[in-house]
Amino acid sequence: MERMERRRTDGMRTTAAGRANTGAGTAETGAGTGTAEAATAGGTGVPVSAARAMTTFSAADEEKRRGVRRMKLTATGLLLFVAVVYALAEWAAHAGAGAWAGYVAAAAEAGMVGALADWFAVTALFRHPLGIPIPHTAIIPNKKDQLGVSLGEFVGENFLSEDVVRQRLRAVGIGSRLGAWLAEPEHADRVTAELATALRGALTVLRDTDVQAVVGEAITRRADAREIAPGLGKMLEKVVADGGHKRVVDLVVSRAHDWLVLHSQDVMVAVEGGAPGWTPRFVDKRIGERVYKELLRFVTEMRDMPSHPARGALDRFLTDFASDLQSDTDTRARVERLKSDVLARGEVQDLIASAWTAVRAMIVSAAEDERSELRLRVRASLLSLGARMAAEPSMQGKVDRWVEGAAVHVVTTYRGEITSLITDTVAGWDAGHTTKKIEAHIGRDLQFIRINGTVVGSLAGLLIYTVARALGA
């Protein structure tokens, strides 16, 4: 019987190897044609790698299968041993060996029954005993898909429930552990480097034209949707009140003075050129010189006198203009029209779009430089965050609650997809190879059931025979 089972196992192994080679060739052909089915096993949606894992045997699997075969021989040898003992005991009893032969025969007979019953039970899990299609045998190959569904439901109900996830994460204490881990400088350096790599990768993947279009559209839409005149008015009002505009006035007046000094002839020629044609030339020249001197004197006094009347007039003008920007309807409307005209110009749109290129180059450069301000600040922030998380229970609680909430959201939202992964994967496995793999992993322990059945059956048979003899006496 054991030899028959071994022959059937070897034959199934040969067939399985042929199927594995054929399946591998089909997967390679599918990959060559570029079909979507090439990435799945038989078009079931199960990845080829997952299906192939159940159609091949690793060195560890083969070693386990050899262990199963050894235990089968041991269990079968024990069955043959009790059968021989039974035969000898029956012969001895008929030969008049004494009462002890009956006890031995009863124990051996019950041992054979127990061994055969457990052999049938163990074999029925994986195949039809002796190849006979007895109902409710070959349970694993026949019920493989149902077992996958049951396993998926079991995982979903017992491992992917909200209470289980929360309890497990709360017991782990992610906040304190993560804080202690981040507080180590080498860990902060590692996270900073990984973030820099991820940032560079993201910026590389993004197309400049798409980002520029999005940035330009976002800035333009936001500018169109918000009136800027009141904000400009408030800002100008605060600048004038704080005297912040005086430096600008000083700069403009100083530059105007220097320009007049360097371009005196240009000013006088411009004045002379604007004079009527009937005036004498010497008069035009004297007027030009006079205008230049008065203009230079005005600018010089305005530069050197902080209390110059023109400065006060400019202050009043800016104050009134700031008020008009906030309250005057006509002024605000004119500013809005000016804003729309400026934003509509192609040069401005090109400037907005080109800003992304400059920003991206700056970020990539900073991400690549280990001593850049960006990476140093990120590293310092990670160290500070890690120290706070390690020391502050409130911070730990926030992190734990955030992680729990995120995990629960994923589990409750995608529980069906997660369990279907188990169900679909099991459904994509080959029934024969799945049975052999399962048997390789648990078959050795199952053979102990046969051995225990033989021993327990013998003891039970001996006990029953003893009690029967005692009651009969």
Side-chain angles (χ1 to χ4, degrees), residues 199-400:
L199 180 60
R200 290 198 305 271
L203 293 178
T204 302
V205 171
L206 292 175
R207 293 195 304 177
D208 288 345
T209 54
D210 295 338
V211 179
Q212 288 171 355
V214 171
V215 171
E217 193 272 338
I219 294 177
T220 303
R221 185 178 68 250
R222 186 173 180 83
D224 286 337
R226 185 171 183 177
E227 187 180 2
I228 64 172
L232 292 175
K234 290 181 181 179
M235 181 179 67
L236 180 59
E237 184 179 47
K238 182 172 178 58
V239 169
V240 173
D242 295 340
H245 68 295
K246 293 181 179 179
R247 293 185 179 180
V248 178
V249 174
D250 291 341
L251 177 62
V252 172
V253 173
S254 178
R255 293 298 299 271
H257 176 272
D258 296 340
W259 187 88
L260 288 173
V261 171
L262 293 175
H263 300 85
S264 59
Q265 292 298 324
D266 296 334
V267 175
M268 289 186 286
V269 168
V271 174
E272 292 175 13
W278 51 267
T279 56
R281 296 207 33 113
F282 75 92
V283 174
D284 295 340
K285 184 176 181 180
R286 292 294 300 272
I287 293 175
E289 292 175 353
R290 183 65 179 175
V291 170
Y292 171 74
K293 289 180 180 179
E294 288 298 324
L295 184 60
L296 182 60
R297 181 184 62 78
F298 173 80
V299 172
T300 303
E301 290 178 352
M302 192 173 178
R303 183 195 65 179
D304 299 335
M305 296 174 58
S307 59
H308 193 277
R311 286 177 175 264
L314 180 60
D315 292 346
R316 291 189 296 273
F317 167 77
L318 293 176
T319 301
D320 294 340
F321 184 56
S323 177
D324 291 341
L325 286 173
Q326 299 178 66
S327 58
D328 184 66
T329 304
D330 183 61
T331 302
R332 292 168 61 174
R334 293 170 68 180
V335 171
E336 287 301 306
R337 288 195 296 271
L338 177 62
K339 178 193 71 175
S340 300
D341 293 341
V342 171
L343 288 175
R345 293 186 64 86
E347 299 88 340
V348 176
Q349 291 297 318
D350 292 341
L351 178 62
I352 294 174
S354 63
W356 162 249
T357 303
V359 171
R360 189 191 67 155
M362 179 184 65
I363 295 176
V364 170
S365 177
E368 292 176 347
D369 183 7
E370 295 183 358
R371 307 308 302 172
S372 66
E373 187 67 19
L374 174 64
R375 292 187 61 161
L376 291 177
R377 285 183 177 272
V378 170
R379 180 181 182 276
S381 299
L382 290 173
L383 288 172
S384 176
L385 177 63
R388 289 186 59 191
M389 290 172 59
E392 299 180 12
S394 59
M395 179 66 72
Q396 297 171 9
K398 289 181 180 179
V399 174
D400 289 342

Side-chain angles (χ1 to χ4, degrees), residues 151-225:
L151 178 60
E153 293 176 351
F154 176 80
V155 171
E157 294 174 0
N158 295 277
F159 294 93
L160 300 180
S161 65
E162 179 177 348
D163 293 338
V164 172
V165 172
R166 288 190 180 278
Q167 291 174 5
R168 182 57 182 168
L169 291 178
R170 193 172 295 119
V172 172
I174 294 178
S176 60
R177 292 191 178 188
L178 180 60
W181 189 83
L182 276 179
E184 297 292 334
E186 60 271 19
H187 296 159
D189 291 338
R190 178 180 175 184
V191 174
T192 302
E194 294 297 335
L195 290 175
T197 302
L199 180 60
R200 290 198 305 271
L203 293 178
T204 302
V205 171
L206 292 175
R207 293 195 304 177
D208 288 345
T209 54
D210 295 338
V211 179
Q212 288 171 355
V214 171
V215 171
E217 193 272 338
I219 294 177
T220 303
R221 185 178 68 250
R222 186 173 180 83
D224 286 337

Side-chain angles (χ1 to χ4, degrees), residues 115-126:
L116 290 172
D118 288 337
W119 167 83
F120 181 90
V122 171
T123 303
L125 289 174
F126 304 103

